[in-house]
Amino acid sequence: MSGATMGVEEEFLLVDPVNGRTAPKAPQVLARAGGRPAHSPGAGFHAELLQTQVEAVTGVCTGLDDLRRQLREGRSRLAGAAMAEGLRLVSTGTPVVACPDPPFTEGERFARIADMYAGVVAGYQSCGCHVHVGVEDRETAVAVVNHLRPWLPALLALSVNSPFDRGRDTGYASWRMLEQARFPGSGVPPWFSDAADHDRRVERLVEAGVLADPAMTFWLARPSPRLPTVEVRTADAAATVDEAVLQAALTRALVRRALDDLAAGREAPRVDDQVCAAAVWSAARYGLDGPGVDPVREVRVPAARPVADLVAHVRPHLEDTGDLAEVRSVLDMLRRAGTGAARQRRAGSAEAAVAMLITQTAPGAWSPDERVGSTAGRT
């Protein structure tokens, strides 16, 4: 059934626990982690572009409890493997303390990407949280992505977790999004008339020499090039499992709402590309703590307003899957404790932020008492 299944890809950095610098030992850590987590068909671990990065992928899930279990298991396996190499696993969008550019992961495709993008990918240790939601076919996937376009900035605002970049406070809540904006074909995707239109326009970028291959698009949402899913790649790496679960719950609800709108013959709003870009920039700059942009009404609003509108937009679908209480709980945590970016800044320094991230990443979630009380001093 379309919109019923979901999965999450989490990207992490490996760091030295003494100085907080990223460490290029992904091959060793992945070898220790093994191929697949137990009891989670389809789950696994993968290399990323640079040797300081690793990825954990869940299997196909239908409920948040199973998803949370798989996310915790993936983090636990990678954290244990990193510790065996004298390192720690951290979930953050960009390197927190100053570090040299690491080597690229070996492989023909990675080498081609490094050659094509040159200085843009030198030291590009960007980590995100990607959510997949199952759909029936590519035609449906493209139509669903059209409906997701106005809501992508709100998903980013909730996930911001990269205020530092190699020892520097950037002033942004998501520096990762600014790093990603340097690539061609980034940001909110264009509106596509159908799957053929999508594929033609992607192929045009490949032929123009700005994409390595059709799987290389940088849009924040797309039909997956290899799975029967809609893939949303908006969020920074989630500091905790709860925040990754929040992204999955809201993304699945948005897909389900889009499917209902399509079934009822309601076309996606053709929000302006430049206004969407402004909304993404504002979400990256401020997260939930400042102004935002409503892409549909094309007006400036408080940053929390698009998030409230998103939840109202999908509330019936969250109720239908039994996810509304979980979403409200994590949103309450974010209101009390702040976003990942706010918590990193509150740590007091880049070095203290790394120590906090190690703690947040390894257990993978806030404790139940933190869900109803202040998290200051623990996160």
Side-chain angles (χ1 to χ4, degrees), residues 205-265:
L205 294 175
V206 174
E207 291 176 355
V210 299
L211 297 181
D213 52 50
M216 193 64 190
T217 58
F218 293 94
W219 291 314
L220 301 182
R222 64 177 182 174
S224 171
R226 35 182 200 88
L227 299 170
T229 66
V230 167
E231 181 182 8
V232 177
R233 308 182 293 172
T234 306
D236 278 3
T240 66
V241 163
D242 283 337
E243 287 159 288
V245 169
L246 176 67
Q247 286 289 320
L250 289 174
T251 301
R252 180 168 68 166
L254 281 168
V255 171
R256 292 172 73 92
R257 171 63 192 261
L259 291 169
D260 280 358
D261 285 343
L262 290 168

Side-chain angles (χ1 to χ4, degrees), residues 52-143:
T52 52
Q53 299 170 288
V54 291
E55 179 186 67
V57 179
T58 73
V60 177
C61 303
T62 57
L64 297 187
D65 287 345
D66 185 35
L67 179 67
R68 180 179 288 102
R69 177 188 62 78
Q70 293 196 34
L71 289 168
R72 285 177 172 167
E73 184 175 6
R75 288 185 177 215
S76 179
R77 286 274 294 276
L78 284 176
M83 191 172 293
E85 291 291 332
L87 306 176
R88 299 294 184 271
L89 189 75
V90 297
S91 191
T92 182
T94 49
V96 179
V97 304
C99 55
D101 291 348
F104 292 99
T105 299
E106 293 182 1
E108 186 274 333
R109 186 169 186 265
F110 287 135
R112 191 165 73 253
I113 291 168
D115 180 65
M116 174 176 285
Y117 295 113
V120 172
V121 291
Y124 180 68
Q125 302 168 80
S126 173
C127 294
C129 175
H130 302 178
V131 179
H132 289 259
V133 180
V135 292
E136 290 181 0
D137 51 51
R138 282 182 61 77
E139 207 68 58
T140 301
V142 170

Side-chain angles (χ1 to χ4, degrees), residues 21 28 44 63 79 90 102 116 120 129-130 133 159 162 166-167 184 196 200 225 233 239 250 277 315 346 354:
R21 294 178 181 173
Q28 297 92 321
V90 297
M116 174 176 285
V120 172
C129 175
H130 302 178
V133 180
S159 76
S162 51
R166 301 175 226 198
R200 276 194 304 271
R233 308 182 293 172
L250 289 174
R315 176 172 175 167
R346 197 168 65 228
V354 173

